[in-house]
Amino acid sequence: MSLSIILAVVAGVLLIVGFFGTFVPVLPGAPLAWAGLLAAYFSEYCNISILGLVITGIFAVLVSIMDNILPITMTQKFGGSKAAVTGATVGLIIGFFVGPLGIILGPFFGAILGELFHQHGQTEGVFKAGFGAFIGFLTGTGIKMICVLCFIWYYAVSFFK
């Protein structure tokens, strides 16, 4: 088995793992997917340009930064604290084990619980903060998913050229 085949396979695996990383918080989705493109660049079976690699690398960095800033910004914009953001993250992790509905609703309920904890049981503004965390999470996840799907498309097109 040649190194070029191994690199093409590793690239595909990294892109798939990167896609799962768009909604699994412990996996850095866009950077993993970009690492897949980097591996594909060195494979004879893929036709990825250095310019394409640089542009996708810039997008991977920007998307990763935005993904970390959006939930905080949206939670704060909706009146929530850092505890709501932490709760949203914990809710996402727990929700991952519940299934697709848990992944969607986990951040919302986690942010509510985090904000309740922060406010020592007072409910004023708790649901608003939960909604902000939820919107920030969905926006960040959506942007990451679109970016990684574009990376996968780029790999597929370069592989079949």
Side-chain angles (χ1 to χ4, degrees):
M1 189 180 253
S2 77
L3 180 61
S4 200
I5 292 171
I6 292 170
L7 286 171
V9 170
V10 166
V13 168
L14 284 170
L15 284 158
I16 291 168
V17 172
F19 177 75
F20 285 115
T22 62
F23 53 88
V24 176
V26 294
L27 295 173
L32 279 174
W34 185 82
L37 291 178
L38 180 63
Y41 174 77
F42 292 104
S43 171
E44 296 172 7
Y45 295 98
C46 299
N47 187 21
I48 292 181
S49 70
I50 189 72
L51 179 62
L53 204 56
V54 169
I55 291 170
T56 56
I58 290 169
F59 273 102
V61 169
L62 291 175
V63 164
S64 296
I65 291 169
M66 283 177 34
D67 183 48
N68 289 310
I69 292 173
L70 275 173
I72 296 167
T73 304
M74 294 303 285
T75 302
Q76 290 172 342
K77 194 172 207 166
F78 280 77
S81 67
K82 192 169 184 168
V85 175
T86 303
T89 303
V90 171
L92 172 64
I93 293 168
I94 293 170
F96 179 72
F97 296 104
V98 175
L101 193 58
I103 293 172
I104 293 169
L105 295 177
F108 175 74
F109 288 115
I112 289 172
L113 290 174
E115 194 64 21
L116 276 171
F117 179 76
H118 176 72
Q119 293 186 14
H120 306 291
Q122 296 178 357
T123 59
E124 183 180 330
V126 169
F127 289 102
K128 192 175 177 185
F131 184 71
F134 178 69
I135 294 299
F137 162 75
L138 283 182
T139 304
T141 300
I143 291 170
K144 269 193 309 187
M145 200 171 283
I146 290 168
C147 181
V148 171
L149 285 172
C150 289
F151 290 2
I152 292 169
W153 174 81
Y154 185 40
Y155 169 77
V157 167
S158 78
F159 187 80
F160 291 109
K161 269 191 173 180

